[in-house]
Amino acid sequence: MMTMYKEQLLPIEKVFRDPVHNYIHVQHQVILDLINAKEFQRLRRIKQLGTTSYTFHGAEHTRFAHSLGVYEITRRICDIFARNFSIEKIGRGGWDENERLVALCAALLHDLGHGPFSHTFEHIFATDHEAITVEIITSPETEIFQILNQVEAGFPEKVASVITHEYPNPQVVQMISSQIDADRMDYLLRDAYFTGTEYGTFDLTRILRVIRPYEGGIAFSYSGMHAVEDYIVSRYQMYVQVYFHKVSRSMEVMLEHLLDRAHELYQETPEIFALHSQLLVPFLRGQFTLADYLKLDDGVLTTYFIQWAEESDRLLSDLAKRWLHRKPLKSATFDEDRQLPLIEELKLLVEKAGFDPTYYTAINSSYDLPYDFYRPKSGVHRTQIELQQNDGTLIELSQVSQLVAAIAGEITVDHRFYFPKEMIDRDSSANYDLFSETYQEFAAHIHNGALI
């Protein structure tokens, strides 16, 4: 029975219309069953980009759509490998078609454990979306496990090992997780499409044309170097212009402070949250099960925020209203080496103006490494991008690309100090006259969006 399910193809392939890939092609019964599982359908209720829609209003797409996209790119790669680079055709280092199903399932399910507002929620409640993904896949209580387990005994654990990078075939692992993989390629194209940012696009068709399997993983034909360069630059631009946008980060700070305040209040008056935020109580208490986790999504938390806006606690209510009504904190860049003492002075001014600096100020820093390569002295393994030359030998991308060499190993950093808009905007403060001297003293330290 298990072998039959493993080999079972749909009588007619199923397609999902997609704005990025045109069609998502589903040919295996197991893939369709996984898509229809309740744990996967939950991803329809989780936004892919969290708070980014407060900056780019079109960014309302979901983890569900992204997961289908990663599956589709992986399916195309498997087709290319099977057609042109199978073990039967090129021998050692070629693609083993028996790996297709585990690759497709891992691609589809790689984001299964993401929670509401993703990384902000993880930080506050100490959850780990990758560990939860593995738990969903390997727990007998889930529909996902029941479906995978029909393929063959141990198949759920096999799929989970791809996600944890422990699967023995590096081709499968790197297809899903490396510096140029199906996951990154889909989210860059998808996020660029929905944010309306053209500089996030790259030539996926060309990259798939030059992708190659080899014994150590996945490489790209030397002739496709410029398409890979384009991908690296697009990724860099998306991180700088979209993922690390100062307003999106401000809304993340607001969300973090809102959840922090709820967490603090729960320790004092847990009965408040038991009345109207029941699904969040296990997390406020610090004891939750997988079943608790799977009940949460963006809509559940937003509903609770609406209720918190009416709570008697002034901080919780105000933070909830600022979040719901898009009232982000303002920010200014600063020099981490010399201006931290100034920030402490500015926090005192914020407090003098009537704002609790714990909840209305923050230091937020973004870090991005556009491309990294293996450096023996670092002691850290890197899955670098390899180009395959005509004779089959490999050369690392930054060794031959001047463009990539210029940004390889260079970390882009943006340090920001966040504070209430009222501190620098007279029109937004109802108490400007009362605190005018404090506001003026604060504003004197900001010029052209930077602390001075």
Side-chain angles (χ1 to χ4, degrees), residues 161-203:
S161 72
V162 177
I163 292 165
T164 60
H165 302 177
E166 297 169 325
Y167 192 70
N169 187 335
Q171 294 171 353
V172 176
V173 173
Q174 290 179 30
M175 206 180 291
I176 314 300
S177 181
S178 61
Q179 293 201 64
I180 178 167
D181 55 36
D183 179 24
R184 294 188 186 197
M185 287 192 282
D186 181 80
Y187 76 59
L188 289 176
L189 291 174
R190 193 168 300 278
D191 297 348
Y193 177 89
F194 283 101
T195 56
T197 48
E198 290 294 328
Y199 44 69
T201 59
F202 59 92
D203 192 349

mmCIF file of all heavy atoms in Angstrom, residues 161-203:
data_model
loop_
_atom_site.group_PDB
_atom_site.id
_atom_site.type_symbol
_atom_site.label_atom_id
_atom_site.label_comp_id
_atom_site.label_asym_id
_atom_site.label_seq_id
_atom_site.Cartn_x
_atom_site.Cartn_y
_atom_site.Cartn_z
ATOM 1 N N SER A 161 14.810 15.729 7.761
ATOM 2 C CA SER A 161 16.273 15.800 7.744
ATOM 3 C C SER A 161 16.791 16.702 6.621
ATOM 4 O O SER A 161 17.903 17.230 6.704
ATOM 5 C CB SER A 161 16.876 14.397 7.629
ATOM 6 O OG SER A 161 16.699 13.853 6.324
ATOM 7 N N VAL A 162 16.007 16.887 5.574
ATOM 8 C CA VAL A 162 16.387 17.858 4.532
ATOM 9 C C VAL A 162 16.345 19.262 5.117
ATOM 10 O O VAL A 162 17.250 20.086 4.900
ATOM 11 C CB VAL A 162 15.452 17.756 3.309
ATOM 12 C CG1 VAL A 162 15.825 18.819 2.265
ATOM 13 C CG2 VAL A 162 15.506 16.369 2.696
ATOM 14 N N ILE A 163 15.317 19.548 5.887
ATOM 15 C CA ILE A 163 15.141 20.878 6.471
ATOM 16 C C ILE A 163 16.198 21.175 7.526
ATOM 17 O O ILE A 163 16.638 22.321 7.677
ATOM 18 C CB ILE A 163 13.712 20.998 7.031
ATOM 19 C CG1 ILE A 163 12.716 20.985 5.858
ATOM 20 C CG2 ILE A 163 13.528 22.248 7.873
ATOM 21 C CD1 ILE A 163 11.279 20.750 6.229
ATOM 22 N N THR A 164 16.638 20.144 8.248
ATOM 23 C CA THR A 164 17.690 20.341 9.258
ATOM 24 C C THR A 164 19.096 20.192 8.670
ATOM 25 O O THR A 164 20.085 20.228 9.405
ATOM 26 C CB THR A 164 17.522 19.335 10.409
ATOM 27 O OG1 THR A 164 17.603 17.999 9.895
ATOM 28 C CG2 THR A 164 16.195 19.520 11.115
ATOM 29 N N HIS A 165 19.196 20.013 7.360
ATOM 30 C CA HIS A 165 20.466 19.893 6.629
ATOM 31 C C HIS A 165 21.228 18.620 6.975
ATOM 32 O O HIS A 165 22.449 18.554 6.768
ATOM 33 C CB HIS A 165 21.374 21.110 6.888
ATOM 34 C CG HIS A 165 20.762 22.413 6.530
ATOM 35 N ND1 HIS A 165 21.393 23.631 6.746
ATOM 36 C CD2 HIS A 165 19.561 22.736 5.972
ATOM 37 C CE1 HIS A 165 20.625 24.616 6.348
ATOM 38 N NE2 HIS A 165 19.506 24.092 5.874
ATOM 39 N N GLU A 166 20.542 17.617 7.486
ATOM 40 C CA GLU A 166 21.192 16.357 7.853
ATOM 41 C C GLU A 166 21.001 15.269 6.800
ATOM 42 O O GLU A 166 21.574 14.183 6.919
ATOM 43 C CB GLU A 166 20.643 15.867 9.203
ATOM 44 C CG GLU A 166 20.952 16.824 10.354
ATOM 45 C CD GLU A 166 20.192 16.488 11.622
ATOM 46 O OE1 GLU A 166 19.030 16.034 11.524
ATOM 47 O OE2 GLU A 166 20.757 16.685 12.707
ATOM 48 N N TYR A 167 20.231 15.530 5.787
ATOM 49 C CA TYR A 167 19.985 14.542 4.735
ATOM 50 C C TYR A 167 21.296 14.261 4.005
ATOM 51 O O TYR A 167 22.058 15.190 3.696
ATOM 52 C CB TYR A 167 18.929 15.072 3.778
ATOM 53 C CG TYR A 167 18.394 14.042 2.822
ATOM 54 C CD1 TYR A 167 17.594 13.004 3.279
ATOM 55 C CD2 TYR A 167 18.682 14.097 1.466
ATOM 56 C CE1 TYR A 167 17.088 12.043 2.404
ATOM 57 C CE2 TYR A 167 18.184 13.157 0.576
ATOM 58 C CZ TYR A 167 17.392 12.125 1.059
ATOM 59 O OH TYR A 167 16.901 11.185 0.198
ATOM 60 N N PRO A 168 21.592 13.009 3.704
ATOM 61 C CA PRO A 168 22.919 12.672 3.165
ATOM 62 C C PRO A 168 23.214 13.166 1.750
ATOM 63 O O PRO A 168 24.376 13.271 1.377
ATOM 64 C CB PRO A 168 22.934 11.134 3.219
ATOM 65 C CG PRO A 168 21.497 10.710 3.262
ATOM 66 C CD PRO A 168 20.789 11.789 4.006
ATOM 67 N N ASN A 169 22.186 13.484 0.970
ATOM 68 C CA ASN A 169 22.430 13.948 -0.402
ATOM 69 C C ASN A 169 22.473 15.482 -0.426
ATOM 70 O O ASN A 169 21.438 16.142 -0.289
ATOM 71 C CB ASN A 169 21.325 13.448 -1.338
ATOM 72 C CG ASN A 169 21.628 13.759 -2.798
ATOM 73 O OD1 ASN A 169 22.360 14.691 -3.111
ATOM 74 N ND2 ASN A 169 21.064 12.975 -3.693
ATOM 75 N N PRO A 170 23.665 16.077 -0.622
ATOM 76 C CA PRO A 170 23.777 17.553 -0.591
ATOM 77 C C PRO A 170 23.038 18.226 -1.741
ATOM 78 O O PRO A 170 22.694 19.410 -1.645
ATOM 79 C CB PRO A 170 25.282 17.796 -0.673
ATOM 80 C CG PRO A 170 25.847 16.565 -1.310
ATOM 81 C CD PRO A 170 24.970 15.434 -0.848
ATOM 82 N N GLN A 171 22.775 17.492 -2.825
ATOM 83 C CA GLN A 171 22.018 18.098 -3.924
ATOM 84 C C GLN A 171 20.612 18.471 -3.471
ATOM 85 O O GLN A 171 20.106 19.559 -3.776
ATOM 86 C CB GLN A 171 21.951 17.124 -5.108
ATOM 87 C CG GLN A 171 23.290 16.844 -5.752
ATOM 88 C CD GLN A 171 23.210 15.726 -6.772
ATOM 89 O OE1 GLN A 171 22.187 15.057 -6.920
ATOM 90 N NE2 GLN A 171 24.300 15.511 -7.501
ATOM 91 N N VAL A 172 19.984 17.575 -2.729
ATOM 92 C CA VAL A 172 18.626 17.829 -2.237
ATOM 93 C C VAL A 172 18.628 18.964 -1.217
ATOM 94 O O VAL A 172 17.794 19.871 -1.273
ATOM 95 C CB VAL A 172 18.023 16.548 -1.619
ATOM 96 C CG1 VAL A 172 16.653 16.838 -1.018
ATOM 97 C CG2 VAL A 172 17.918 15.451 -2.675
ATOM 98 N N VAL A 173 19.582 18.940 -0.297
ATOM 99 C CA VAL A 173 19.649 19.977 0.737
ATOM 100 C C VAL A 173 19.879 21.344 0.114
ATOM 101 O O VAL A 173 19.185 22.320 0.438
ATOM 102 C CB VAL A 173 20.766 19.650 1.754
ATOM 103 C CG1 VAL A 173 20.943 20.813 2.733
ATOM 104 C CG2 VAL A 173 20.443 18.371 2.519
ATOM 105 N N GLN A 174 20.847 21.442 -0.813
ATOM 106 C CA GLN A 174 21.172 22.741 -1.412
ATOM 107 C C GLN A 174 20.085 23.249 -2.350
ATOM 108 O O GLN A 174 19.967 24.449 -2.582
ATOM 109 C CB GLN A 174 22.515 22.652 -2.146
ATOM 110 C CG GLN A 174 23.698 22.515 -1.200
ATOM 111 C CD GLN A 174 25.026 22.411 -1.925
ATOM 112 O OE1 GLN A 174 25.201 22.952 -3.016
ATOM 113 N NE2 GLN A 174 25.980 21.711 -1.326
ATOM 114 N N MET A 175 19.282 22.353 -2.870
ATOM 115 C CA MET A 175 18.145 22.759 -3.695
ATOM 116 C C MET A 175 17.170 23.604 -2.876
ATOM 117 O O MET A 175 16.559 24.547 -3.381
ATOM 118 C CB MET A 175 17.440 21.510 -4.232
ATOM 119 C CG MET A 175 16.683 21.710 -5.518
ATOM 120 S SD MET A 175 15.875 20.178 -6.067
ATOM 121 C CE MET A 175 17.273 19.169 -6.526
ATOM 122 N N ILE A 176 17.054 23.250 -1.573
ATOM 123 C CA ILE A 176 16.105 23.933 -0.685
ATOM 124 C C ILE A 176 16.778 25.013 0.153
ATOM 125 O O ILE A 176 16.176 26.028 0.482
ATOM 126 C CB ILE A 176 15.438 22.918 0.290
ATOM 127 C CG1 ILE A 176 14.968 21.670 -0.449
ATOM 128 C CG2 ILE A 176 14.285 23.568 1.047
ATOM 129 C CD1 ILE A 176 13.970 21.906 -1.526
ATOM 130 N N SER A 177 18.055 24.803 0.483
ATOM 131 C CA SER A 177 18.726 25.721 1.409
ATOM 132 C C SER A 177 20.198 25.897 1.059
ATOM 133 O O SER A 177 21.023 25.019 1.326
ATOM 134 C CB SER A 177 18.591 25.205 2.848
ATOM 135 O OG SER A 177 19.217 26.080 3.761
ATOM 136 N N SER A 178 20.508 27.027 0.458
ATOM 137 C CA SER A 178 21.892 27.402 0.143
ATOM 138 C C SER A 178 21.868 28.892 -0.177
ATOM 139 O O SER A 178 20.858 29.566 0.044
ATOM 140 C CB SER A 178 22.428 26.584 -1.035
ATOM 141 O OG SER A 178 21.655 26.817 -2.200
ATOM 142 N N GLN A 179 22.958 29.425 -0.702
ATOM 143 C CA GLN A 179 22.971 30.856 -0.999
ATOM 144 C C GLN A 179 22.212 31.209 -2.274
ATOM 145 O O GLN A 179 21.925 32.385 -2.515
ATOM 146 C CB GLN A 179 24.418 31.376 -1.071
ATOM 147 C CG GLN A 179 25.117 31.326 0.285
ATOM 148 C CD GLN A 179 26.290 32.263 0.362
ATOM 149 O OE1 GLN A 179 26.153 33.482 0.287
ATOM 150 N NE2 GLN A 179 27.471 31.702 0.532
ATOM 151 N N ILE A 180 21.894 30.200 -3.062
ATOM 152 C CA ILE A 180 21.014 30.414 -4.215
ATOM 153 C C ILE A 180 20.170 29.153 -4.344
ATOM 154 O O ILE A 180 20.589 28.158 -4.927
ATOM 155 C CB ILE A 180 21.817 30.752 -5.500
ATOM 156 C CG1 ILE A 180 20.880 30.917 -6.708
ATOM 157 C CG2 ILE A 180 22.911 29.743 -5.768
ATOM 158 C CD1 ILE A 180 21.561 31.546 -7.924
ATOM 159 N N ASP A 181 18.983 29.180 -3.754
ATOM 160 C CA ASP A 181 18.131 27.992 -3.662
ATOM 161 C C ASP A 181 16.706 28.328 -4.086
ATOM 162 O O ASP A 181 16.377 29.491 -4.358
ATOM 163 C CB ASP A 181 18.151 27.429 -2.236
ATOM 164 C CG ASP A 181 17.774 28.466 -1.193
ATOM 165 O OD1 ASP A 181 16.899 29.317 -1.486
ATOM 166 O OD2 ASP A 181 18.337 28.449 -0.078
ATOM 167 N N ALA A 182 15.867 27.310 -4.121
ATOM 168 C CA ALA A 182 14.476 27.513 -4.546
ATOM 169 C C ALA A 182 13.737 28.441 -3.592
ATOM 170 O O ALA A 182 12.888 29.239 -4.018
ATOM 171 C CB ALA A 182 13.763 26.162 -4.629
ATOM 172 N N ASP A 183 14.047 28.356 -2.301
ATOM 173 C CA ASP A 183 13.411 29.219 -1.311
ATOM 174 C C ASP A 183 13.716 30.683 -1.580
ATOM 175 O O ASP A 183 12.821 31.517 -1.733
ATOM 176 C CB ASP A 183 13.901 28.810 0.085
ATOM 177 C CG ASP A 183 13.324 29.667 1.202
ATOM 178 O OD1 ASP A 183 12.238 30.255 1.010
ATOM 179 O OD2 ASP A 183 13.951 29.746 2.274
ATOM 180 N N ARG A 184 14.977 31.024 -1.684
ATOM 181 C CA ARG A 184 15.367 32.425 -1.899
ATOM 182 C C ARG A 184 14.890 32.933 -3.262
ATOM 183 O O ARG A 184 14.445 34.070 -3.382
ATOM 184 C CB ARG A 184 16.883 32.580 -1.785
ATOM 185 C CG ARG A 184 17.414 32.303 -0.388
ATOM 186 C CD ARG A 184 18.876 32.664 -0.268
ATOM 187 N NE ARG A 184 19.425 32.265 1.024
ATOM 188 C CZ ARG A 184 20.552 32.725 1.544
ATOM 189 N NH1 ARG A 184 21.266 33.596 0.869
ATOM 190 N NH2 ARG A 184 20.978 32.325 2.720
ATOM 191 N N MET A 185 15.013 32.090 -4.266
ATOM 192 C CA MET A 185 14.613 32.550 -5.599
ATOM 193 C C MET A 185 13.125 32.870 -5.643
ATOM 194 O O MET A 185 12.715 33.860 -6.249
ATOM 195 C CB MET A 185 14.994 31.510 -6.657
ATOM 196 C CG MET A 185 16.496 31.463 -6.918
ATOM 197 S SD MET A 185 16.972 30.500 -8.378
ATOM 198 C CE MET A 185 16.848 28.822 -7.750
ATOM 199 N N ASP A 186 12.312 32.054 -4.981
ATOM 200 C CA ASP A 186 10.875 32.361 -4.989
ATOM 201 C C ASP A 186 10.574 33.599 -4.167
ATOM 202 O O ASP A 186 9.832 34.475 -4.622
ATOM 203 C CB ASP A 186 10.042 31.196 -4.464
ATOM 204 C CG ASP A 186 8.554 31.537 -4.513
ATOM 205 O OD1 ASP A 186 7.959 31.430 -5.599
ATOM 206 O OD2 ASP A 186 7.997 31.962 -3.471
ATOM 207 N N TYR A 187 11.114 33.696 -2.938
ATOM 208 C CA TYR A 187 10.688 34.850 -2.133
ATOM 209 C C TYR A 187 11.193 36.168 -2.694
ATOM 210 O O TYR A 187 10.530 37.203 -2.560
ATOM 211 C CB TYR A 187 10.992 34.664 -0.638
ATOM 212 C CG TYR A 187 12.396 34.831 -0.119
ATOM 213 C CD1 TYR A 187 13.111 36.012 -0.255
ATOM 214 C CD2 TYR A 187 12.991 33.809 0.622
ATOM 215 C CE1 TYR A 187 14.371 36.170 0.288
ATOM 216 C CE2 TYR A 187 14.255 33.953 1.175
ATOM 217 C CZ TYR A 187 14.953 35.135 1.000
ATOM 218 O OH TYR A 187 16.199 35.293 1.550
ATOM 219 N N LEU A 188 12.350 36.168 -3.366
ATOM 220 C CA LEU A 188 12.805 37.420 -3.982
ATOM 221 C C LEU A 188 11.853 37.850 -5.101
ATOM 222 O O LEU A 188 11.420 39.009 -5.161
ATOM 223 C CB LEU A 188 14.219 37.261 -4.525
ATOM 224 C CG LEU A 188 15.335 37.154 -3.487
ATOM 225 C CD1 LEU A 188 16.673 36.897 -4.166
ATOM 226 C CD2 LEU A 188 15.409 38.424 -2.632
ATOM 227 N N LEU A 189 11.526 36.936 -5.987
ATOM 228 C CA LEU A 189 10.622 37.269 -7.093
ATOM 229 C C LEU A 189 9.221 37.599 -6.593
ATOM 230 O O LEU A 189 8.586 38.554 -7.056
ATOM 231 C CB LEU A 189 10.554 36.101 -8.084
ATOM 232 C CG LEU A 189 11.822 35.828 -8.895
ATOM 233 C CD1 LEU A 189 11.651 34.559 -9.724
ATOM 234 C CD2 LEU A 189 12.166 37.013 -9.792
ATOM 235 N N ARG A 190 8.730 36.831 -5.637
ATOM 236 C CA ARG A 190 7.373 37.025 -5.122
ATOM 237 C C ARG A 190 7.277 38.343 -4.349
ATOM 238 O O ARG A 190 6.326 39.112 -4.504
ATOM 239 C CB ARG A 190 6.981 35.842 -4.236
ATOM 240 C CG ARG A 190 5.489 35.782 -3.893
ATOM 241 C CD ARG A 190 5.154 34.435 -3.269
ATOM 242 N NE ARG A 190 5.458 33.333 -4.184
ATOM 243 C CZ ARG A 190 4.655 32.935 -5.158
ATOM 244 N NH1 ARG A 190 3.479 33.523 -5.341
ATOM 245 N NH2 ARG A 190 4.992 31.934 -5.953
ATOM 246 N N ASP A 191 8.256 38.594 -3.510
ATOM 247 C CA ASP A 191 8.234 39.822 -2.717
ATOM 248 C C ASP A 191 8.420 41.052 -3.592
ATOM 249 O O ASP A 191 7.814 42.102 -3.351
ATOM 250 C CB ASP A 191 9.319 39.774 -1.631
ATOM 251 C CG ASP A 191 9.095 38.659 -0.620
ATOM 252 O OD1 ASP A 191 7.992 38.067 -0.619
ATOM 253 O OD2 ASP A 191 10.020 38.362 0.161
ATOM 254 N N ALA A 192 9.255 40.944 -4.622
ATOM 255 C CA ALA A 192 9.417 42.059 -5.562
ATOM 256 C C ALA A 192 8.100 42.342 -6.281
ATOM 257 O O ALA A 192 7.687 43.499 -6.434
ATOM 258 C CB ALA A 192 10.515 41.744 -6.578
ATOM 259 N N TYR A 193 7.419 41.281 -6.700
ATOM 260 C CA TYR A 193 6.147 41.435 -7.408
ATOM 261 C C TYR A 193 5.113 42.143 -6.534
ATOM 262 O O TYR A 193 4.470 43.106 -6.965
ATOM 263 C CB TYR A 193 5.632 40.063 -7.833
ATOM 264 C CG TYR A 193 4.285 40.089 -8.523
ATOM 265 C CD1 TYR A 193 4.192 40.249 -9.908
ATOM 266 C CD2 TYR A 193 3.106 39.970 -7.799
ATOM 267 C CE1 TYR A 193 2.958 40.284 -10.542
ATOM 268 C CE2 TYR A 193 1.859 39.999 -8.424
ATOM 269 C CZ TYR A 193 1.803 40.153 -9.797
ATOM 270 O OH TYR A 193 0.578 40.192 -10.407
ATOM 271 N N PHE A 194 4.948 41.688 -5.305
ATOM 272 C CA PHE A 194 3.882 42.218 -4.468
ATOM 273 C C PHE A 194 4.236 43.563 -3.801
ATOM 274 O O PHE A 194 3.330 44.287 -3.398
ATOM 275 C CB PHE A 194 3.479 41.186 -3.413
ATOM 276 C CG PHE A 194 2.614 40.085 -3.963
ATOM 277 C CD1 PHE A 194 3.148 38.839 -4.262
ATOM 278 C CD2 PHE A 194 1.278 40.300 -4.228
ATOM 279 C CE1 PHE A 194 2.357 37.828 -4.799
ATOM 280 C CE2 PHE A 194 0.472 39.306 -4.769
ATOM 281 C CZ PHE A 194 1.021 38.063 -5.059
ATOM 282 N N THR A 195 5.509 43.867 -3.710
ATOM 283 C CA THR A 195 5.873 45.199 -3.193
ATOM 284 C C THR A 195 6.004 46.207 -4.327
ATOM 285 O O THR A 195 6.114 47.414 -4.070
ATOM 286 C CB THR A 195 7.204 45.148 -2.407
ATOM 287 O OG1 THR A 195 8.240 44.595 -3.236
ATOM 288 C CG2 THR A 195 7.066 44.325 -1.142
ATOM 289 N N GLY A 196 5.998 45.714 -5.571
ATOM 290 C CA GLY A 196 6.106 46.624 -6.711
ATOM 291 C C GLY A 196 7.509 47.151 -6.924
ATOM 292 O O GLY A 196 7.696 48.199 -7.545
ATOM 293 N N THR A 197 8.517 46.426 -6.433
ATOM 294 C CA THR A 197 9.905 46.883 -6.536
ATOM 295 C C THR A 197 10.622 46.104 -7.629
ATOM 296 O O THR A 197 11.052 44.976 -7.418
ATOM 297 C CB THR A 197 10.640 46.687 -5.190
ATOM 298 O OG1 THR A 197 10.373 45.356 -4.711
ATOM 299 C CG2 THR A 197 10.139 47.668 -4.157
ATOM 300 N N GLU A 198 10.788 46.704 -8.783
ATOM 301 C CA GLU A 198 11.343 46.030 -9.945
ATOM 302 C C GLU A 198 12.790 45.585 -9.739
ATOM 303 O O GLU A 198 13.235 44.584 -10.303
ATOM 304 C CB GLU A 198 11.269 46.949 -11.169
ATOM 305 C CG GLU A 198 9.856 47.189 -11.684
ATOM 306 C CD GLU A 198 9.211 45.925 -12.240
ATOM 307 O OE1 GLU A 198 9.936 45.082 -12.788
ATOM 308 O OE2 GLU A 198 7.979 45.782 -12.106
ATOM 309 N N TYR A 199 13.540 46.308 -8.906
ATOM 310 C CA TYR A 199 14.954 45.945 -8.753
ATOM 311 C C TYR A 199 15.140 44.619 -8.023
ATOM 312 O O TYR A 199 16.253 44.119 -7.900
ATOM 313 C CB TYR A 199 15.729 47.047 -8.025
ATOM 314 C CG TYR A 199 15.035 47.634 -6.810
ATOM 315 C CD1 TYR A 199 14.864 46.885 -5.646
ATOM 316 C CD2 TYR A 199 14.562 48.950 -6.835
ATOM 317 C CE1 TYR A 199 14.232 47.422 -4.547
ATOM 318 C CE2 TYR A 199 13.928 49.489 -5.730
ATOM 319 C CZ TYR A 199 13.761 48.726 -4.587
ATOM 320 O OH TYR A 199 13.130 49.263 -3.492
ATOM 321 N N GLY A 200 14.067 44.024 -7.544
ATOM 322 C CA GLY A 200 14.183 42.722 -6.890
ATOM 323 C C GLY A 200 14.073 41.555 -7.850
ATOM 324 O O GLY A 200 14.153 40.401 -7.445
ATOM 325 N N THR A 201 13.895 41.837 -9.129
ATOM 326 C CA THR A 201 13.705 40.757 -10.101
ATOM 327 C C THR A 201 15.043 40.289 -10.678
ATOM 328 O O THR A 201 16.040 41.016 -10.653
ATOM 329 C CB THR A 201 12.794 41.205 -11.243
ATOM 330 O OG1 THR A 201 13.382 42.343 -11.890
ATOM 331 C CG2 THR A 201 11.422 41.599 -10.722
ATOM 332 N N PHE A 202 15.052 39.067 -11.166
ATOM 333 C CA PHE A 202 16.239 38.507 -11.822
ATOM 334 C C PHE A 202 15.755 37.465 -12.823
ATOM 335 O O PHE A 202 14.563 37.140 -12.872
ATOM 336 C CB PHE A 202 17.207 37.896 -10.800
ATOM 337 C CG PHE A 202 16.595 36.792 -9.983
ATOM 338 C CD1 PHE A 202 16.692 35.471 -10.393
ATOM 339 C CD2 PHE A 202 15.901 37.075 -8.813
ATOM 340 C CE1 PHE A 202 16.110 34.451 -9.654
ATOM 341 C CE2 PHE A 202 15.316 36.055 -8.064
ATOM 342 C CZ PHE A 202 15.418 34.749 -8.484
ATOM 343 N N ASP A 203 16.677 36.920 -13.625
ATOM 344 C CA ASP A 203 16.313 36.018 -14.721
ATOM 345 C C ASP A 203 16.276 34.568 -14.233
ATOM 346 O O ASP A 203 17.251 33.820 -14.382
ATOM 347 C CB ASP A 203 17.311 36.186 -15.865
ATOM 348 C CG ASP A 203 16.851 35.513 -17.151
ATOM 349 O OD1 ASP A 203 15.863 34.746 -17.090
ATOM 350 O OD2 ASP A 203 17.470 35.751 -18.200
#
